[in-house]
Amino acid sequence: MNKKIAVGVLGCTGVVGQKLIALLDGHPSFVVTDLVASENSSGMTYGERACWREVTDLSPNIRDLVIKRSYDELEAKILFSGLDASVAGDVEVWYAKKGHAVVSNSRNHRLDADVPLIIPEINPEHFALIKLQQQKYNSPGFIVTNPNCSITIAALALFPIHQSFGIDKIIVTTMQAVSGAGYPGVPSLDIFDNVIPHIKDEEEKMHSELLKIFGVYRGGQIAPADCKVSAMCNRVPVRHGHTMAISFSTKKAATANAIISLFSGVKSPQSLQSLQQHGLHLPSSPQTILQYFADPFRPQPLLDRDAGNGMTVSIGNLRPCQVLDWKMTVVGHNLVRGAAGAAILNAEYLLANGLVY
Amino acid sequence: MNKKIAVGVLGCTGVVGQKLIALLDGHPSFVVTDLVASENSSGMTYGERACWREVTDLSPNIRDLVIKRSYDELEAKILFSGLDASVAGDVEVWYAKKGHAVVSNSRNHRLDADVPLIIPEINPEHFALIKLQQQKYNSPGFIVTNPNCSITIAALALFPIHQSFGIDKIIVTTMQAVSGAGYPGVPSLDIFDNVIPHIKDEEEKMHSELLKIFGVYRGGQIAPADCKVSAMCNRVPVRHGHTMAISFSTKKAATANAIISLFSGVKSPQSLQSLQQHGLHLPSSPQTILQYFADPFRPQPLLDRDAGNGMTVSIGNLRPCQVLDWKMTVVGHNLVRGAAGAAILNAEYLLANGLVY
Amino acid sequence: MNKKIAVGVLGCTGVVGQKLIALLDGHPSFVVTDLVASENSSGMTYGERACWREVTDLSPNIRDLVIKRSYDELEAKILFSGLDASVAGDVEVWYAKKGHAVVSNSRNHRLDADVPLIIPEINPEHFALIKLQQQKYNSPGFIVTNPNCSITIAALALFPIHQSFGIDKIIVTTMQAVSGAGYPGVPSLDIFDNVIPHIKDEEEKMHSELLKIFGVYRGGQIAPADCKVSAMCNRVPVRHGHTMAISFSTKKAATANAIISLFSGVKSPQSLQSLQQHGLHLPSSPQTILQYFADPFRPQPLLDRDAGNGMTVSIGNLRPCQVLDWKMTVVGHNLVRGAAGAAILNAEYLLANGLVY
Amino acid sequence: MNKKIAVGVLGCTGVVGQKLIALLDGHPSFVVTDLVASENSSGMTYGERACWREVTDLSPNIRDLVIKRSYDELEAKILFSGLDASVAGDVEVWYAKKGHAVVSNSRNHRLDADVPLIIPEINPEHFALIKLQQQKYNSPGFIVTNPNCSITIAALALFPIHQSFGIDKIIVTTMQAVSGAGYPGVPSLDIFDNVIPHIKDEEEKMHSELLKIFGVYRGGQIAPADCKVSAMCNRVPVRHGHTMAISFSTKKAATANAIISLFSGVKSPQSLQSLQQHGLHLPSSPQTILQYFADPFRPQPLLDRDAGNGMTVSIGNLRPCQVLDWKMTVVGHNLVRGAAGAAILNAEYLLANGLVY
């Protein structure tokens, strides 16, 4: 077996940082060697500091790692970033210039012209932007990002339809889990027995990020997709798992059967066009990337968020829309498929394609 | 002071029946004299049977009423019906033929050609259908209905816009409270930490009922409105209060200010066109029928469902929609404005206009 | 009608501060003239700052008050304190020395030998300690305190039994609402679908405060009661209302009927021995101080926390205990009877007895 | 590898029945061959009927089993019973007489003089009662039972203390999960934002069953233990996992360290006295039967219910009690350790000891 690649986690004490560590613990290709958090955590071991909230136990070798500070020199080749947006911008660039592959879940650089915004099953050709950064920084380092949790889940459900029929309009109402707001995040007094009908900047992110993800790479640039996305984002009293009610219209006429058969076919990453070209299987790819339910009461976040270890996106209730063409329900795990798992999948892709070594 | 009108409640033990009784207790125009429930409750006093779940106490004169059975002869002129749809159809007709004004929250007769489906602030002219029933039954009795809880709340928010600009397309995603499913209703195991993305027949009702409510009465018939309604209905872990994310487009161009000023103007029933013609003030009408929030985090069901004693509809976050023209959030109390309070308001209108006496 | 007394609220933006203001708004004897909060709120109007989370609306005259800082000179005679324990200690003493009657819900001075810890229905004679403070400070000012929310509710239920039969042992398990932890307080990620079996210092407070409340005032001192209190404190996913499972033993033998008749008798403050001596009726006293349910499924926080506008304590399910003598369930509103309402009742008592004027 | 033993599940569609099937699917010693449910499910395959609510998928060989009726002849040697108490009594006896080993989670026969009530780590010697039944029925069949969910979890935590120091008094307040009430079970309207302070018959069961479990088998009889148990049972808004606040006193003086070291020692079934005598390791035994937390905020049902695949009991916060000697918090999974897993462990014990073959 090959030697594992050393990786670090920036922002290791937050909700995404903890989920990254939980998923990296025992990973077949990566071993966690560096943990970075804010000033007031540094110098402590992760076990002393972390206030671990994952249900699985923390392994001893991670528990004993001493937490470093941002801008400390790090050994690890790949740095996963779950940093808060208030600091991620500069820290990620600093480490990229130092030669690290920064695989970030933070929003700061997602829309930078030379930073790939990747869902590997959809747009791996966007990784080509990495070279622009390497030239700019004169360094082997770079930043790659994964999208916002909500749009990642929506994009995976919509992409096969977009490939086959072309999607031109999307109206999506999200019902988002509290874990998406981090920790301490949403006070219980605010969300018990309640819906909060606004999440700062979320609707804008869903719009602009989808256009980039579905965009076309050509000559060092991403031409954004030509579709309209309107999002209405809500927080609901659910722990994990974002639920989305999506209406959409297609450029070419489709049938319900044709759409559903697209979902059913997505049993492996190879069956999505782009990964197919690369013939890859990545360790965090679930056996079933998309699953469709005939039962109109599914998918539900409680029952379906953990499908495929949290990496499967679940779809149901496809039916005609009286205003656009179709409507459906989509559920995915916001912390796994929508954040930590998304970043790890990106890193696995980099490794499998020799973009880090 | 005038003598109060005797009223009865059909289906008095259910969630809507209990809310009807809570709202009728101490009502300035009505006094509850008849309570009707299913076979296995009849013969008991309401206090023995009801398993009262309202927070306010039950008054002694209602507690001591002996529950009757469907098809028992009743004294009360007006019968409020919170009957289950499995029995409401026949029972309501039977009492209408017997000469009672049946004011029903049940769905069975809502779409009957000669049964008015009323929100008094919107379409009181539809009450004219009553005469058709009286002729058919050769009786002073009749059935009037109020719409489904979700569409009542949505319709109140949309109506002033419809009047001023004409609405032609609506996409609405509901996040509905568990009390909308009655009692025992939604098992806690199904809805804790979960969203259920389907409610049987709800989407169809929202479509067909809105077209009738916004329809035009002419010559003994309702011509349905010419607009398209697409609903995606979800159950969320909220006790009371339905939240709706609504996108819509208008026939005439509107501005955000113009729309918001419509909401702000709706301080009394008179300010909605139709009630204005009648110069009425009804006891259950709230001081503010519609309230608009500048804060994008409002309305919220927890904070706003009880506004106007549950009769005010709250609106917020009006903003341009990238696909249709506008989007906004609407919240209302499903059991009050969407059910029991809606029926009582209908009865108050009947009384104030001499349609019952 | 008499002129209202000017009052202020220290710590006006917190959960208890907001509840104090909600209860003082429209109070027959008090008018809010001073609002005090931490440095970063001062200078703003309360309406700008407060992030109001009470369901009732804020009245304009309070909305427009400009927030002051601790140690600013204040006009109001009575200062209600909902200050955080980290600052309450010094601030309250400073204002007492300045001549104010500080009516505090904070824990800092509750166990001070010369500070009364009062539930007016139980131990109003402890107010005599005020004179010791006035001598010490050489000022008309003083501090009076109300107990911790949990022990207030438990003490009210236990006191009539203690008077009649003498209680010597109490084991109480609390199931406490999240609003008891303030705002932002308990993160939703921590308490959804969970019980947290520890609340810092709460068990110690329940023990030591009950002994003082039930203690005997003599010669300028409180001799603590001779009973043993063991508390096990838990946080549960409930918004408002603390539920307590209490076992206790009595010095004199009692019967279930005798105990229940004690509860039923407590229809007014006069029926508790101590207030009886004073023949008082206070504005915030509920008509029924204690209510007992025959139904073993009651009391429940959802249904009973708001009884008597949150000032009634509800009791149920009295039954023999196999280890001590009796066990029962007690529910009360932690923010009203257990905090803000308790402080206001103390101030009303001071006013009615000429201790402030 | 040995041939697997055929087993059946009586009451296969309920919450306990579904959990039994989830745990038996892939079990190393058992294979499910018979499924039994009420009249209106029989004749359908389990996949058609079950309304599967477990998060793990149902395996095809179980999905395709056709459901039988009670009193149908069955092949399986061992029958697990999750039957409702309204029918379990007669059905279980009927199958025992027919020669089956009925391993029941139902309460009906738990206190029968000749029916063992077993927690294998505590009182496996009580299995000797089986012979009395076999003689009575003149059949190789018999009934064995596991205790109520709450007392199972409490008993496991208390037993090592009882062995070492003798427990004579226990006061336990339970905070029980909604899954303990089955499906549909607790309506969401009853338990959202609430505590229900009564569970029918639960307190009596905790008392009487503990005395039998801790009782001494001698000469074909169980002499009940000599200790007093007082329970106060509450339902809280938690999906799975019962939390218990327990006070107790011991006959011999103990220290906190001595008690905690008892818990820490329980790493395998062998370390509890009784299983030690038998030198057994059972497939469903967790690596750690009891785990103790130094952190006073643990155990919590959300974080600890799934420890040891739901078979570990978690303990924390041992501290002196001001009334009895000690108090502590105990958490366990009510459906696994407290029901389905308990029954399966009993069956594994029977198999390992040649009591079925």
Side-chain angles (χ1 to χ4, degrees):
Chain A
M1 189 185 164
N2 290 330
K3 197 165 145 285
K4 290 189 182 182
I5 303 282
V7 301
V9 178
L10 311 177
C12 64
T13 58
V15 164
V16 171
Q18 295 199 12
K19 182 60 82 181
L20 279 165
I21 290 168
L23 294 174
L24 288 168
D25 200 0
H27 192 281
S29 312
F30 301 131
V31 59
V32 178
T33 59
D34 288 309
L35 296 176
V36 174
S38 62
E39 198 71 27
N40 52 2
S41 300
S42 67
M44 305 164 75
T45 67
Y46 194 65
E48 287 165 344
R49 172 59 186 82
C51 191
W52 189 245
R53 279 178 304 273
E54 291 286 321
V55 168
T56 54
D57 281 342
L58 193 57
S59 78
N61 54 325
I62 289 174
R63 190 189 305 273
D64 294 343
L65 283 175
V66 175
I67 299 176
K68 296 173 183 162
R69 285 174 304 188
S70 293
Y71 305 111
D72 280 358
E73 301 281 341
L74 301 176
E75 297 277 318
K77 177 72 187 166
I78 296 176
L79 300 180
F80 293 99
S81 168
L83 288 171
D84 190 79
S86 61
V87 298
D90 292 344
V91 173
E92 291 178 4
V93 169
W94 192 86
Y95 281 112
K97 287 183 178 171
K98 284 278 180 182
H100 298 273
V102 177
V103 180
S104 174
N105 179 62
S106 301
R107 69 177 193 211
N108 304 58
H109 297 290
R110 283 182 194 150
L111 300 181
D112 292 1
D114 57 2
V115 172
L117 179 63
I118 301 283
I119 298 172
E121 295 91 336
I122 295 180
N123 63 340
E125 64 278 12
H126 292 198
F127 277 123
L129 292 174
I130 288 172
K131 282 189 193 142
L132 302 184
Q133 294 184 64
Q134 290 172 325
Q135 291 163 7
K136 182 170 74 175
Y137 298 145
N138 191 23
S139 152
F142 56 84
I143 299 169
V144 301
T145 61
N146 56 274
N148 167 278
C149 49
S150 298
I151 202 58
T152 300
I153 295 162
L156 278 158
L158 291 166
F159 182 63
I161 310 169
H162 186 53
Q163 280 188 303
S164 295
F165 300 105
I167 289 182
D168 58 1
K169 290 176 191 165
I170 301 164
I171 292 185
V172 49
T173 298
T174 68
M175 291 162 275
Q176 300 184 220
V178 294
S179 64
Y183 185 88
V186 187
S188 49
L189 280 174
D190 284 346
I191 193 65
F192 266 172
D193 188 16
N194 204 11
V195 171
I196 302 175
H198 184 60
I199 299 173
K200 197 168 174 308
D201 298 332
E202 189 86 353
E203 299 181 358
E204 294 75 10
K205 281 187 270 183
M206 290 190 72
H207 171 78
S208 51
E209 295 183 11
L210 187 67
L211 299 198
K212 180 167 180 180
I213 300 162
F214 279 7
V216 174
Y217 174 82
R218 196 172 304 138
Q221 287 191 315
I222 309 289
D226 172 30
C227 68
K228 291 176 174 169
V229 182
S230 177
M232 295 184 276
C233 295
N234 301 279
R235 189 77 64 196
V236 293
V238 168
R239 175 175 295 280
H240 301 303
H242 287 358
T243 304
M244 283 170 245
I246 303 182
S247 287
F248 61 92
S249 59
T250 56
K251 294 174 186 169
K252 285 188 267 179
T255 64
N257 280 345
I259 294 171
I260 291 169
S261 71
L262 291 173
F263 298 140
S264 318
V266 186
K267 290 290 181 200
S268 74
Q270 285 78 350
S271 57
L272 284 180
Q273 191 192 48
S274 45
L275 271 198
Q276 203 169 10
Q277 301 163 352
H278 303 275
L280 295 172
H281 182 73
L282 304 175
S284 297
S285 280
Q287 250 192 317
T288 304
I289 294 180
L290 303 177
Q291 64 175 333
Y292 183 81
F293 288 94
D295 177 356
F297 289 97
R298 299 288 282 273
Q300 298 176 12
L302 177 73
L303 298 176
D304 300 314
R305 60 194 173 202
D306 289 324
N309 291 320
M311 290 296 284
T312 295
V313 169
S314 297
I315 307 164
N317 215 358
L318 184 88
R319 55 209 191 280
C321 176
Q322 291 79 353
V323 173
L324 301 181
D325 294 329
W326 300 99
K327 48 192 179 181
M328 62 183 181
T329 304
V330 178
V331 166
H333 197 302
N334 54 302
L335 284 186
V336 183
R337 184 39 118 163
I344 292 173
L345 197 66
N346 277 350
E348 291 170 353
Y349 189 95
L350 291 171
L351 187 65
N353 285 271
L355 295 165
V356 293
Y357 42 89
Chain B
M1 187 186 165
N2 290 330
K3 195 165 145 287
K4 290 189 182 181
I5 304 281
V7 303
V9 177
L10 311 178
C12 64
T13 58
V15 164
V16 171
Q18 294 199 13
K19 182 59 82 181
L20 279 164
I21 290 168
L23 295 174
L24 289 167
D25 200 0
H27 192 279
S29 311
F30 302 130
V31 59
V32 178
T33 60
D34 288 309
L35 295 176
V36 173
S38 62
E39 197 71 27
N40 52 1
S41 301
S42 68
M44 305 163 76
T45 67
Y46 194 64
E48 289 166 343
R49 173 59 186 82
C51 190
W52 189 244
R53 278 177 305 272
E54 290 286 321
V55 168
T56 55
D57 281 343
L58 194 57
S59 79
N61 55 324
I62 288 174
R63 190 190 305 272
D64 294 343
L65 283 176
V66 174
I67 299 175
K68 294 173 184 162
R69 286 175 302 188
S70 293
Y71 305 110
D72 279 357
E73 300 282 340
L74 302 175
E75 295 277 317
K77 178 70 189 167
I78 296 176
L79 301 180
F80 293 99
S81 168
L83 287 170
D84 189 79
S86 61
V87 298
D90 292 345
V91 173
E92 292 178 6
V93 169
W94 191 87
Y95 281 111
K97 287 182 178 171
K98 284 279 180 181
H100 298 273
V102 177
V103 180
S104 174
N105 179 62
S106 299
R107 70 177 193 210
N108 304 57
H109 297 291
R110 284 182 192 150
L111 300 181
D112 291 1
D114 57 2
V115 172
L117 177 65
I118 301 283
I119 298 171
E121 294 93 335
I122 295 180
N123 63 341
E125 65 278 11
H126 292 199
F127 275 124
L129 293 175
I130 288 173
K131 281 188 193 144
L132 302 184
Q133 293 183 64
Q134 290 172 325
Q135 290 163 8
K136 182 170 74 175
Y137 298 145
N138 192 23
S139 151
F142 55 85
I143 298 169
V144 303
T145 61
N146 56 273
N148 167 279
C149 49
S150 298
I151 202 58
T152 301
I153 295 161
L156 278 158
L158 291 166
F159 182 64
I161 310 170
H162 186 55
Q163 280 189 303
S164 296
F165 300 104
I167 289 182
D168 57 1
K169 290 177 192 163
I170 301 163
I171 292 185
V172 50
T173 297
T174 68
M175 291 161 275
Q176 300 185 218
V178 294
S179 64
Y183 185 87
V186 187
S188 48
L189 280 175
D190 283 347
I191 192 66
F192 267 173
D193 188 15
N194 204 11
V195 170
I196 302 176
H198 184 60
I199 299 172
K200 199 170 172 309
D201 298 332
E202 191 86 352
E203 300 182 356
E204 293 75 9
K205 281 188 270 183
M206 290 190 71
H207 171 79
S208 51
E209 295 183 12
L210 186 67
L211 299 198
K212 181 168 179 179
I213 300 162
F214 279 7
V216 175
Y217 174 82
R218 196 172 304 136
Q221 287 191 315
I222 310 290
D226 173 30
C227 67
K228 290 176 175 168
V229 182
S230 176
M232 295 183 275
C233 294
N234 301 279
R235 189 77 67 195
V236 293
V238 168
R239 176 175 295 280
H240 301 303
H242 287 358
T243 304
M244 284 169 246
I246 302 183
S247 288
F248 60 92
S249 59
T250 57
K251 292 174 187 169
K252 285 188 268 179
T255 65
N257 281 345
I259 294 172
I260 291 169
S261 72
L262 291 173
F263 299 140
S264 318
V266 186
K267 289 292 180 200
S268 73
Q270 286 79 350
S271 57
L272 283 182
Q273 191 191 49
S274 44
L275 271 198
Q276 202 170 11
Q277 301 163 352
H278 303 275
L280 295 173
H281 183 73
L282 305 176
S284 298
S285 279
Q287 251 192 317
T288 304
I289 295 180
L290 302 179
Q291 65 175 332
Y292 183 81
F293 288 94
D295 177 355
F297 288 97
R298 298 289 280 274
Q300 298 177 11
L302 177 73
L303 298 176
D304 301 312
R305 60 193 172 202
D306 290 323
N309 291 319
M311 289 298 282
T312 295
V313 169
S314 298
I315 307 165
N317 215 359
L318 184 88
R319 57 208 189 281
C321 177
Q322 290 79 352
V323 172
L324 301 180
D325 293 330
W326 300 98
K327 48 191 180 182
M328 62 183 181
T329 304
V330 178
V331 165
H333 197 303
N334 55 301
L335 283 186
V336 184
R337 185 38 118 160
I344 292 173
L345 196 67
N346 276 351
E348 291 169 354
Y349 188 95
L350 291 171
L351 187 65
N353 285 272
L355 295 165
V356 293
Y357 43 89
Chain C
M1 190 187 162
N2 291 330
K3 194 163 145 290
K4 290 188 182 182
I5 303 281
V7 302
V9 176
L10 310 177
C12 64
T13 58
V15 163
V16 171
Q18 295 200 10
K19 183 59 83 180
L20 279 164
I21 289 168
L23 294 174
L24 289 167
D25 200 0
H27 191 280
S29 312
F30 302 130
V31 58
V32 178
T33 60
D34 288 309
L35 295 177
V36 174
S38 62
E39 197 70 28
N40 51 2
S41 301
S42 68
M44 305 164 77
T45 67
Y46 194 63
E48 288 166 343
R49 173 60 186 80
C51 189
W52 189 244
R53 281 177 303 273
E54 290 285 321
V55 168
T56 54
D57 281 342
L58 193 58
S59 79
N61 56 325
I62 289 173
R63 189 189 305 272
D64 295 342
L65 284 174
V66 174
I67 300 175
K68 295 172 182 164
R69 286 175 302 188
S70 292
Y71 304 112
D72 280 357
E73 300 282 340
L74 301 176
E75 295 278 316
K77 178 71 188 167
I78 296 176
L79 300 180
F80 292 99
S81 168
L83 287 170
D84 189 79
S86 62
V87 298
D90 292 344
V91 174
E92 292 178 4
V93 168
W94 192 87
Y95 281 111
K97 288 182 177 172
K98 284 280 180 180
H100 298 273
V102 177
V103 180
S104 174
N105 180 62
S106 300
R107 72 177 193 209
N108 304 57
H109 297 291
R110 284 182 192 150
L111 300 181
D112 291 2
D114 57 3
V115 172
L117 177 65
I118 301 284
I119 297 171
E121 294 92 335
I122 296 180
N123 63 339
E125 65 277 11
H126 292 198
F127 276 123
L129 292 174
I130 288 172
K131 281 187 194 145
L132 302 184
Q133 293 183 63
Q134 290 171 324
Q135 291 163 6
K136 181 169 75 176
Y137 299 144
N138 192 24
S139 151
F142 55 85
I143 298 168
V144 302
T145 60
N146 57 274
N148 168 278
C149 50
S150 298
I151 201 58
T152 300
I153 295 162
L156 277 159
L158 290 165
F159 182 63
I161 310 169
H162 186 55
Q163 280 189 302
S164 295
F165 301 105
I167 289 183
D168 57 2
K169 289 176 194 165
I170 301 164
I171 291 185
V172 50
T173 298
T174 68
M175 291 162 273
Q176 300 185 219
V178 293
S179 66
Y183 185 87
V186 187
S188 49
L189 279 174
D190 283 347
I191 192 66
F192 267 172
D193 188 18
N194 205 11
V195 170
I196 302 176
H198 184 59
I199 298 173
K200 196 168 174 309
D201 298 333
E202 190 85 353
E203 299 182 358
E204 293 75 10
K205 282 188 271 185
M206 291 190 71
H207 172 79
S208 51
E209 295 183 12
L210 186 67
L211 300 198
K212 180 168 180 180
I213 300 162
F214 279 6
V216 175
Y217 174 82
R218 196 173 304 137
Q221 287 191 318
I222 310 290
D226 172 30
C227 67
K228 290 175 177 171
V229 182
S230 176
M232 294 184 275
C233 294
N234 301 278
R235 189 77 66 194
V236 293
V238 167
R239 175 175 296 279
H240 301 304
H242 288 358
T243 304
M244 283 170 245
I246 303 181
S247 288
F248 60 92
S249 59
T250 56
K251 293 173 185 169
K252 286 187 268 178
T255 65
N257 281 345
I259 294 172
I260 291 169
S261 72
L262 290 173
F263 299 139
S264 318
V266 186
K267 290 291 179 200
S268 73
Q270 285 78 350
S271 57
L272 284 181
Q273 191 192 47
S274 45
L275 271 199
Q276 202 170 10
Q277 301 164 352
H278 302 276
L280 295 173
H281 182 74
L282 304 175
S284 298
S285 279
Q287 250 192 318
T288 305
I289 294 180
L290 303 179
Q291 64 175 334
Y292 184 80
F293 289 94
D295 177 357
F297 289 96
R298 298 287 281 276
Q300 298 177 11
L302 177 73
L303 297 175
D304 301 314
R305 59 194 173 202
D306 290 322
N309 291 319
M311 290 297 284
T312 295
V313 169
S314 298
I315 307 164
N317 215 359
L318 185 88
R319 56 211 190 279
C321 177
Q322 290 79 353
V323 172
L324 301 181
D325 294 330
W326 301 97
K327 48 190 178 182
M328 62 184 180
T329 303
V330 178
V331 166
H333 197 302
N334 54 301
L335 283 186
V336 184
R337 185 39 118 162
I344 292 173
L345 197 66
N346 276 351
E348 290 170 354
Y349 189 96
L350 291 171
L351 187 66
N353 286 271
L355 296 165
V356 293
Y357 42 88
Chain D
M1 190 188 165
N2 290 330
K3 196 162 144 288
K4 290 187 181 183
I5 303 282
V7 302
V9 177
L10 310 178
C12 63
T13 59
V15 163
V16 171
Q18 294 199 12
K19 182 59 83 182
L20 280 165
I21 289 168
L23 294 174
L24 289 168
D25 200 359
H27 191 281
S29 312
F30 302 131
V31 58
V32 178
T33 59
D34 288 309
L35 296 176
V36 173
S38 63
E39 198 70 29
N40 51 3
S41 300
S42 68
M44 305 164 76
T45 66
Y46 194 64
E48 288 166 343
R49 174 61 187 82
C51 190
W52 190 244
R53 280 179 303 274
E54 291 285 322
V55 169
T56 54
D57 281 341
L58 193 57
S59 78
N61 55 325
I62 289 174
R63 190 190 305 272
D64 294 342
L65 283 175
V66 175
I67 299 175
K68 296 173 182 163
R69 287 174 301 188
S70 292
Y71 305 112
D72 279 356
E73 301 281 340
L74 301 175
E75 296 278 317
K77 178 71 188 169
I78 296 175
L79 301 179
F80 292 99
S81 168
L83 287 170
D84 189 79
S86 61
V87 298
D90 291 344
V91 174
E92 291 178 5
V93 168
W94 192 87
Y95 281 111
K97 287 181 178 172
K98 283 279 180 180
H100 298 273
V102 177
V103 179
S104 175
N105 180 61
S106 300
R107 72 179 192 208
N108 305 58
H109 297 290
R110 284 181 192 150
L111 300 180
D112 291 1
D114 57 3
V115 172
L117 178 65
I118 301 282
I119 298 172
E121 295 92 336
I122 296 179
N123 63 340
E125 65 277 12
H126 292 198
F127 277 123
L129 292 174
I130 287 172
K131 282 189 193 142
L132 302 185
Q133 293 183 64
Q134 290 171 324
Q135 291 162 7
K136 182 170 76 174
Y137 298 145
N138 192 23
S139 151
F142 55 84
I143 298 169
V144 302
T145 61
N146 57 274
N148 168 279
C149 49
S150 299
I151 202 59
T152 300
I153 296 162
L156 277 158
L158 291 165
F159 183 64
I161 310 169
H162 186 56
Q163 280 189 303
S164 296
F165 301 104
I167 289 182
D168 58 2
K169 290 176 192 166
I170 301 164
I171 292 185
V172 50
T173 298
T174 67
M175 292 162 274
Q176 300 185 219
V178 294
S179 64
Y183 185 87
V186 187
S188 49
L189 280 174
D190 284 346
I191 193 66
F192 267 172
D193 187 18
N194 205 11
V195 171
I196 302 175
H198 184 58
I199 299 173
K200 195 167 176 307
D201 298 334
E202 190 85 353
E203 299 181 359
E204 293 74 10
K205 282 188 270 184
M206 290 190 71
H207 171 80
S208 51
E209 295 182 13
L210 187 68
L211 301 199
K212 181 167 179 180
I213 300 162
F214 280 6
V216 175
Y217 174 82
R218 195 173 305 135
Q221 287 192 315
I222 310 290
D226 171 31
C227 66
K228 290 176 176 171
V229 182
S230 176
M232 295 183 276
C233 294
N234 301 278
R235 189 77 65 194
V236 293
V238 168
R239 176 175 296 278
H240 301 303
H242 288 358
T243 305
M244 284 171 243
I246 303 181
S247 287
F248 60 91
S249 59
T250 56
K251 293 173 184 168
K252 286 187 268 179
T255 65
N257 280 345
I259 294 172
I260 290 170
S261 72
L262 290 173
F263 299 139
S264 318
V266 186
K267 290 290 178 199
S268 73
Q270 286 77 349
S271 57
L272 285 181
Q273 191 191 48
S274 45
L275 270 199
Q276 203 170 9
Q277 302 163 353
H278 302 275
L280 294 173
H281 181 74
L282 305 176
S284 298
S285 280
Q287 249 192 319
T288 305
I289 294 181
L290 303 178
Q291 64 174 333
Y292 183 81
F293 288 94
D295 177 356
F297 289 96
R298 299 285 283 275
Q300 299 176 12
L302 177 73
L303 297 176
D304 300 314
R305 60 193 172 202
D306 290 322
N309 292 318
M311 291 296 285
T312 296
V313 169
S314 297
I315 307 165
N317 214 359
L318 184 88
R319 56 212 191 278
C321 176
Q322 291 80 352
V323 173
L324 301 181
D325 294 329
W326 301 99
K327 49 191 179 183
M328 62 183 180
T329 303
V330 178
V331 165
H333 197 302
N334 55 300
L335 284 187
V336 184
R337 185 40 119 162
I344 292 173
L345 197 66
N346 277 350
E348 290 170 355
Y349 189 95
L350 291 171
L351 187 65
N353 286 271
L355 295 165
V356 292
Y357 43 88

